Structure formats: C-alpha cells, structure tokens
Amino acid sequence: MTKLMCSVLLVLFLSFSMLVTGQSRLAEFQFNDHLRPVNVNTSIGFGQFNLKVSSPDVVIEEPTIKTEQDEVTKAMFFQFQAFYSVANNNVNIALAPKAGRNVRITHIEFRIRFDSNRDGNAGIFISKDPETKINTQIWTCGNNKAFNTYKDFVVVIPDSEVNYSESETDSIRFVFGHGTNTKGMYLDDFVIYGVVNDETNTSVVNISLDASKTTHELADRPSGANACWLMDSDINWPRDVSNEERFAEMKLGALRFPYGHLADNYLWHTPGDYSNLSVTGPIAQVASPSIPAKWDWAVNQTDGTFLKAMGFDEFIAVCKRQGIEPFIVINAASYTYNGGPTYETLKQSAVEWVRYANITKNYGVKYWQIGNEVEHKNAFTMDAYTNLFIDFATAMKAIDPTIKVGTGVLNNNNWNKNVLTKAGNLCDFISNHQYQWTELPTGGFRMWHKDNSILVSNTQSAQTLLNRDFLNRPELEIHVTETNVTGIGFPDQDIIDLYKALYWFEMNMNHLSFKNVKYTYYWGTHSPWGGETDPGGVSTLLENSNANTVRPAGKVIQLINENIKKRWVDVTRVHGNVRSYATVSDDGNKMSVFVLNKNLYPEKINLNISNYNIGGSVVEKIVFTGNHFNDTDPQITKESLDSSPDQLTLDPLSITILNYEMDDNTLISSIKKDLLGLFYEKGFVNISKPQTERGVLKVYTLDGRKMIEKHIEAGSNRVKIEIISSGVHIVSVEIGDLKERVKIIK
C-alpha cells in the first residue's frame, strides 16, 4: 500500500505542477475539543467538528462520524480496497458545486495525530456520491508509522473524475479511516482547496526595488558550512568525487572546523611538547572519554587519536586552494569533563594552535571562536565564560594581534553582551545558532509555505543587540555558526527534498539581510552520529557515499554564492507566497534579483526596478525547482533573455534569479574607458594615469542632479569627496580633452 501510494503521489505531482490555476480555499474545518474514543482500537475520536470557512461556490455536508454501530455505514456504498476496516470507522466530509458552477479539488491540508505511538495505519480516500463505487487513496500514514503528536500534511489531488464535479447531486467525498490496530485518530484544521469554473490565476504580485537603496556590504560567498573533521578527509575517505571537489562545486565561502559540539572534545595536537610541530605536524586526539571517544570507527581506543579524520593541515590546504575562509572552534569546555584536560592545558592548546597556524605555518587564519554553545552546557556560568574568554583571547592575541576572536554562544544574547561589555576589543565578533526549534509550529511544507515570519529570530536578536548597545563598534561581526531547517517535527523527516532546500534558502537570505552578518555556516557537511556507514540525513550537505552527492540545500548554497553581489539592496521581503531579495555590485554595473515562490502553483510578478538602467542590460535567468515539493533531485536551469522582463511567471516551488549586467554604454554613453583610470576608495576618487593639466570633478545622482563640483590641480591624483546621501552616484572627471566617469555606491 505504501509503495503504491508513493507512485500515485509522484504521478499526480508531475501532472499537476504545471497547471496555472485559480486555486482558492473552498472549505476549512476545525476539529476541536476532542473526546477520547469509547473504544480506542476501533473508532475515531469523537468531538466538536466546526466548519470554519466555506466558499460561496460550494455546498458542504457537515462532517459526520461513521461507526460500526451506525446503520447508514452498514449499508453505505463505499467499497474500499484497503487492509483495514475503513468502512466501519471513519469521518466523512462531502462537497459539491452550487448550481451553474463546477469545481475541481486541487489539494488538501490537514493536521493529524493518534492517541499513542502504537503501531497502526490510517488513510484518506476520495470518492464520488452516490452512484459510483470508485475510490482513490490519496494519503496514508504508512503501516506501523502512527505518531502521537500533531503533524501537518499537504496532499495534491490528481486530475480525475473523482475530484471533479459539475452538479450539486454529484458530490466529492473525503473519508478518513484507520485500522483496528490503531488507537484513536484525531484530525485538526482540515482545508480543501480547489478551482471553480476552471478559472486561471489572474493575480499579479508587484515587486519594486530601488537599486540605489543599499544597506550593507556582504562577504565574498557569504554562505558556508560546518566541516565534519571525522569524515571530510579526502586522504582517509577516498571517494569517487572528493570533498574538495564538492566544496568547490558549492562555492563555499567559509568552513567551520572541526565541528560544533564535538569541537569541545577535540585537541588539535596531543598536549605536551609543541616545539617540533614544524617537522612532525599536529597529532590530533580526543580530550576526554566523552563522545566521540568510544566510536571505534573514528577513534583509536588505545591512544585516543583519530583514525580517518581530516587533519588541520589538510583542512587549511583545501581552504587555501579553494579560497575558503577557515573558521576555527577552540576547545573551551572539556576541562570540566570527567577525565578531561586541565584549564591550563586547554589554554595552552589554544595559544599554541594560533602560534602553529599563523607564526610557524603562516596560514593567516583570521577567525577563532572560543567554545561552542557555551550557555547550553553545564560547564559555565555567564561570568565564568566571560572570564575564560578574556583569559584565552588575551593569550591568543599576544601571539598574533591580527586575529579575530569571538563568542561561542547559541542564542542567549545576555552572554554575548556580557563578553562585549567586559572584554571590549578582545571580542571581534559574536555568534548565534539558528535552527527551527521554535520558529515554526510542528509541521512541514504546510507550515513553512504559510509562514511570513523572519524565521531567524536568533540572528535578528543578535543584530538588535549590536544596534542598541554597541553602535560605537560598527566593525563587530555576527557569525551564524550553525544553522539549518532542522529542529521541527517534519512529517517527512527522512526525505531530503525541494521544499526543505527552499526553506533553507529563505532562512539564509534572511540571515544575510542583517548588516553585521558576515558568514552563515550550514550544519553540516557530513554527519558522524549514525556511524561511518550512515548516509546522513536532512542535516547534511553531502551524502556519505562514493558519489558524495550534493543534497538540494548544497545547490541552494551554490546558487547564492555564485550570484550574490557585494551590496545588499533594501527591498520588501514578503509578498504573499513570494519572497524577494536583491544585491548590486560595488560599481553598480551588476545586479542580482532573487525571487522565491513558496506556492504549490505558479505566481505572476511585475518587477519594477528604479535607479538601474535595465534597458541596456544583459539579463540571465536562473531557475531552481523540481516536480513536486518532495522532489529529492531538483535542478538548476539557465537561459539568456533578450531583455528584462516586466512580468514574469514563477514556477511552483522555485527560486528564480535574474542577473543583470550593464554593457559598456549603459548609463554612461560616448565615454572612453581606461583613459584616466578612475577608481573610488574610502572617500577618495583616485586617478591612475599621471596628469599635467588642471581638471574638474563633478558628482551626480543617477537622475542627473549635480551634487558636488571640485577643481583638480595639475599633477594631483587623489580627490576627497564627501557624499552625504546613500545610493549610486556618478563621478565625472574632465582633464583636458579626456573625460571619464565612474559609478560609486555609498
């Protein structure tokens, strides 16, 4: 039954996803105040079932409970071909069009749970009244997969005679049933969506963006990941496609090493003699008997060294070759573990790591994080951690004053504030982690696609802290050192699919919208928690296999890092089911517009762009989508457009990226390039080519208003300009018969 159900769903998604429909909510039922079934083995939970919403286009039969004692049920026409007694224990809901209308059901959404997690099964069927006996199973929880907490489901209905009606007497009926081995089944918030009179979607979403309204600079390739040192070595884990190749494919901008929680049981080198490291190299080992010490596939049970792990030198070599920013997590907690090293041993380990990395090897590692999720452990009080931070950071910066040292906080910004206040300039960045523990109620696609919240409240709180209390330190960075869509109760937890990747895209772009965020770090590359043969679940970018397959979220990271530009544009984020983001390059010549469609159906958008000459632009369109929201192999397609589209139809469940690039004569016509060699840097316009004549410099807004005019003395190659308003400006320099312009963004 389960295999058949999967096949049916695949076919219906493939056939339905291309339809442009005027889909709307036809009916919604709340199933509140549930009562415990009289016989939990043979009946659905009784309760007060309320019709919450009803379309004026349909006639609704109120939900009714049918039991084996009910005379109607005993004589009912349903001939369900299921392995359980659906006809004897079910809830019925029927719907039909009003006179003069027809209706086609497109999909249903609902929440469901069971009285316990006792093994059992349940299903939903769709049928027609009253003559036909045809029925189609459209959903099953799966044999022996009952669950005792509410989960949300979305089921698309295949086109057939069963889901279409032209008459009030030809109703479409939904039947919920469960087997006699299943304890009481409870429904909540059952919604029916459909199309009336075959209407198409005529609504259009208007998106307006002003390319001059930039807010902050972004790092190069700002989306990174957590490296799993136990499984990421290409030397010790030979695969058909190496990790380094996959890191390059995803365009990762930063890698956090060695991991998260396990970093606090990691010693980069065996404590003791550090003097001969330039010859021997580091010999890493566990710090205490805690995990992963007992994983015999990962750790030598005699001396605590690692068997197949990625070493620090290998990690840095990969980062150097691929232009990836390394980010190191310092062990700060294991002195509190049973059998762990002393405080002074950990401090010395941190100091010697900096010395080895940046003095002995000259690696130039910039970012060093002290501890991981420190307020989430019993090892520290807030003040104890702050004192450790000051002590460690002082000693580490004594070796290399250029490094940036930051906090290892999960989400408690009181801890971040305490460190920033007491450690002062010793602290260069703060961290937070963002999963979906509390961001959305339990559920999957349904809850995400209906939600308009920021989804990254921890990052929002970290930015609020800096805005409120540390405006005098604009250089402070936020590193979202662990983030993923995991943490909520996905009803399809084991499926690594399209909608979870889109969910991650929305989260990640929302992270990057905050001005102090430097990098985000996806959790993680591989996962050691299931052992060396576990392929890894939804929390991993790469499958643990010879193919080392990139999961859908990895393709999203690739899309972001390949296409995002240097400056963030302030654009309205939420438009119903659509999300919009935009960035422009430093010189203003390139712009990328990202549009996410969270809907099961196509959405039309009008794109209104100001302060960017789209008429003279080369436009590339990139689309990331699949056949349905559980598609495990969504694809990226690219095409060149002849012009910028005024109106665009977005594929269902997709990311669409429009890349604009101005040609040489777009905003600045009849201007010879590379004669004066103008470039703008930190408030000064610089002239590369030596000049012997006096000249003039003028600054204009994009709409042609002159803001500044200054004379340039003969031989001068640097002119200071003070631009008050933010946005894109044109600087024009004339010296003799030479004239050149350059765009700047403030």
Side-chain angles (χ1 to χ4, degrees):
M1 180 171 62
T2 303
K3 289 182 179 179
L4 175 61
M5 181 62 198
C6 292
S7 300
V8 170
L9 283 178
L10 179 60
V11 171
L12 68 91
F13 275 123
L14 287 171
S15 64
F16 189 78
S17 62
M18 297 305 295
L19 292 178
V20 181
T21 65
Q23 163 265 333
S24 60
R25 183 170 55 176
L26 299 179
E28 180 175 355
F29 302 89
Q30 283 186 323
F31 294 71
N32 298 327
D33 303 322
H34 288 291
L35 303 175
R36 186 179 179 86
V38 176
N39 181 342
V40 294
N41 289 323
T42 59
S43 64
I44 291 176
F46 290 81
Q48 183 63 46
F49 296 180
N50 300 316
L51 177 62
K52 182 179 179 182
V53 176
S54 177
S55 165
D57 297 304
V58 298
V59 179
I60 301 292
E61 176 189 308
E62 294 284 352
T64 55
I65 299 174
K66 308 291 187 180
T67 71
E68 57 190 2
Q69 286 79 34
D70 187 275
E71 293 298 325
V72 175
T73 302
K74 288 182 178 179
M76 65 187 295
F77 60 86
F78 296 108
Q79 302 292 322
F80 292 109
Q81 303 301 312
F83 299 143
Y84 44 82
S85 182
V86 146
N88 292 335
N89 331 283
N90 59 65
V91 171
N92 281 245
I93 296 172
L95 174 151
K98 289 186 177 178
R101 296 170 175 81
N102 62 60
V103 63
R104 184 182 305 279
I105 308 300
T106 58
H107 75 277
I108 57 174
E109 301 176 0
F110 57 94
R111 308 189 77 200
I112 196 166
R113 73 173 177 87
F114 297 86
D115 193 58
S116 75
N117 58 1
R118 176 176 175 174
D119 292 346
N121 49 41
I124 301 176
F125 295 79
I126 187 171
S127 185
K128 295 291 287 293
D129 282 344
E131 297 87 0
T132 60
K133 305 288 194 299
I134 299 173
N135 64 80
T136 302
Q137 183 177 4
I138 56 175
W139 176 83
T140 176
C141 75
N143 286 329
N144 304 321
K145 290 184 180 178
F147 35 85
N148 62 350
T149 58
Y150 275 114
K151 292 189 177 183
D152 287 273
F153 292 90
V154 177
V155 179
V156 178
I157 312 301
D159 283 336
S160 72
E161 62 178 294
V162 178
N163 79 329
Y164 180 78
S165 177
E166 295 181 321
S167 168
E168 291 177 274
T169 60
D170 186 31
S171 61
I172 302 166
R173 183 175 294 275
F174 295 91
V175 179
F176 293 76
H178 71 79
T180 56
N181 190 40
T182 306
K183 287 195 174 182
M185 182 174 82
Y186 298 96
L187 292 167
D188 194 13
D189 197 22
F190 176 65
V191 191
I192 303 170
Y193 289 86
V195 177
V196 177
N197 293 341
D198 299 317
E199 293 176 352
T200 58
N201 185 9
T202 58
S203 64
V204 180
V205 173
N206 290 302
I207 299 175
S208 298
L209 69 91
D210 183 340
S212 69
K213 290 186 176 179
T214 61
T215 58
H216 60 280
E217 291 189 0
L218 296 159
D220 179 43
R221 296 177 293 163
S223 189
N226 281 267
C228 177
W229 94 99
L230 289 169
M231 307 179 85
D232 279 359
S233 172
D234 288 329
I235 298 171
N236 299 317
W237 290 76
R239 296 178 169 101
D240 294 342
V241 182
S242 69
N243 280 296
E244 184 171 352
E245 290 176 87
R246 292 307 193 195
F247 294 167
E249 181 181 335
M250 292 185 286
K251 313 294 184 190
L252 291 177
L255 274 172
R256 185 176 183 236
F257 178 92
Y259 204 48
H261 166 68
L262 297 185
D264 272 326
N265 196 27
Y266 173 88
L267 294 173
W268 71 280
H269 179 63
T270 305
D273 184 11
Y274 294 94
S275 62
N276 203 35
L277 278 171
S278 60
V279 177
T280 64
I283 302 172
Q285 67 173 64
V286 290
S288 81
S290 300
I291 290 173
K294 301 304 182 185
W295 294 350
D296 57 11
W297 63 269
V299 177
N300 185 313
Q301 299 299 298
T302 301
D303 61 11
T305 57
F306 299 106
L307 297 176
K308 298 193 292 182
M310 171 184 269
F312 177 63
D313 287 332
E314 181 188 358
F315 168 71
I316 293 296
V318 170
C319 290
K320 291 289 186 183
R321 287 192 293 266
Q322 301 305 326
I324 295 171
E325 188 76 63
F327 182 101
I328 303 301
V329 186
I330 293 294
N331 184 337
S334 63
Y335 77 95
T336 66
Y337 297 173
N338 290 331
T342 66
Y343 177 97
E344 288 301 325
T345 297
L346 283 189
K347 178 181 173 182
Q348 183 188 17
S349 177
V351 168
E352 295 301 333
W353 203 349
V354 174
R355 190 192 313 277
Y356 176 78
N358 290 358
I359 306 302
T360 303
K361 302 295 286 189
N362 197 30
Y363 287 152
V365 177
K366 183 188 302 182
Y367 292 106
W368 301 80
Q369 180 179 34
I370 297 181
N372 175 75
E373 295 187 354
V374 290
E375 84 276 30
H376 195 50
K377 297 181 171 74
N378 294 323
F380 305 107
T381 64
M382 182 170 68
D383 287 335
Y385 174 70
T386 298
N387 292 337
L388 180 147
F389 183 96
I390 293 170
D391 190 22
F392 276 39
T394 300
M396 292 161 67
K397 288 192 173 188
I399 303 300
D400 182 357
T402 68
I403 64 173
K404 294 188 176 185
V405 182
T407 63
V409 169
L410 189 159
N411 64 356
N412 191 326
N413 280 301
N414 288 329
W415 288 55
N416 278 325
K417 181 178 180 180
N418 200 48
V419 172
L420 285 170
T421 301
K422 296 178 180 179
N425 290 333
L426 286 171
C427 184
D428 302 287
F429 63 87
I430 60 173
S431 71
N432 72 275
H433 291 175
Q434 182 69 73
Y435 296 99
Q436 288 301 299
W437 303 292
T438 59
E439 298 303 312
L440 291 181
T442 296
F445 168 74
R446 182 190 187 193
M447 298 310 299
W448 167 69
H449 103 273
K450 289 178 175 296
D451 192 271
N452 292 330
S453 69
I454 195 70
L455 299 177
V456 290
S457 61
N458 292 349
T459 304
Q460 185 177 45
S461 297
Q463 184 66 64
T464 299
L465 169 70
L466 298 187
N467 292 346
R468 184 188 64 222
D469 298 327
F470 298 97
L471 280 175
N472 62 325
R473 296 197 59 192
E475 82 286 356
L476 283 171
E477 299 173 1
I478 299 170
H479 287 252
V480 188
T481 49
E482 291 180 23
T483 180
N484 203 330
V485 299
T486 52
I488 64 173
F490 287 113
D492 46 5
Q493 181 68 48
D494 297 329
I495 303 177
I496 304 166
D497 53 13
L498 172 62
Y499 90 84
K500 298 184 188 74
L502 299 180
Y503 191 161
W504 160 243
F505 170 82
E506 184 178 12
M507 280 183 64
N508 203 31
M509 295 300 280
N510 291 348
H511 284 308
L512 298 176
S513 71
F514 292 106
K515 65 180 182 180
N516 287 73
V517 170
K518 186 71 172 180
Y519 290 103
T520 63
Y521 302 78
Y522 186 93
W523 182 269
T525 52
H526 292 99
S527 175
W529 300 99
E532 63 178 326
T533 60
D534 191 319
V538 70
S539 66
T540 58
L541 290 174
L542 300 171
E543 180 183 73
N544 179 21
S545 66
N546 284 334
N548 212 18
T549 306
V550 176
R551 264 64 186 273
K555 295 180 181 179
V556 167
I557 289 177
Q558 175 190 338
L559 281 172
I560 292 173
N561 285 342
E562 276 187 337
N563 296 287
I564 205 163
K565 305 303 185 290
K566 186 66 173 178
R567 292 182 175 268
W568 190 267
V569 177
D570 184 17
V571 60
T572 301
R573 178 175 63 90
V574 178
H575 315 267
N577 291 307
V578 175
R579 305 288 179 269
S580 60
Y581 310 91
T583 58
V584 296
S585 59
D586 253 340
D587 61 7
N589 282 337
K590 297 178 181 179
M591 178 172 64
S592 56
V593 179
F594 299 81
V595 188
L596 166 66
N597 181 13
K598 298 172 66 169
N599 202 348
L600 280 167
Y601 307 96
E603 292 272 5
K604 292 180 181 178
I605 64 168
N606 285 331
L607 192 57
N608 305 300
I609 299 174
S610 58
N611 282 324
Y612 191 93
N613 190 346
I614 58 176
S617 299
V618 176
V619 185
E620 178 189 42
K621 178 185 174 185
I622 303 172
V623 177
F624 172 73
T625 190
N627 293 317
H628 52 85
F629 63 81
N630 278 142
D631 192 337
T632 58
D633 190 28
Q635 297 296 313
I636 299 171
T637 58
K638 299 181 180 181
E639 64 175 307
S640 296
L641 304 181
D642 294 333
S643 61
S644 175
D646 294 326
Q647 188 171 98
L648 191 65
T649 298
L650 307 175
D651 288 345
L653 297 166
S654 67
I655 300 166
T656 299
I657 304 172
L658 296 175
N659 283 323
Y660 297 84
E661 184 171 357
M662 295 182 174
D663 60 29
D664 286 343
N665 299 311
T666 300
L667 281 181
I668 310 157
S669 59
S670 303
I671 296 172
K672 296 179 180 179
K673 298 280 184 177
D674 301 324
L675 294 176
L676 296 171
L678 300 183
F679 66 94
Y680 176 76
E681 184 178 47
K682 296 181 179 179
F684 288 87
V685 174
N686 297 273
I687 305 170
S688 300
K689 184 176 180 179
Q691 301 298 321
T692 58
E693 301 180 55
R694 294 180 79 233
V696 63
L697 177 148
K698 301 175 184 178
V699 180
Y700 299 89
T701 61
L702 275 181
D703 59 7
R705 291 181 293 110
K706 185 170 70 175
M707 300 175 61
I708 297 172
E709 181 171 337
K710 283 190 172 186
H711 289 290
I712 305 171
E713 297 302 321
S716 175
N717 65 350
R718 200 162 188 245
V719 184
K720 183 176 177 60
I721 59 174
E722 296 179 355
I723 298 177
I724 299 175
S725 61
S726 62
V728 181
H729 302 82
I730 305 297
V731 176
S732 172
V733 174
E734 296 183 40
I735 299 177
D737 61 354
L738 299 179
K739 182 177 180 181
E740 187 174 337
R741 296 184 185 181
V742 64
K743 274 192 302 181
I744 63 173
I745 301 177
K746 183 178 184 294

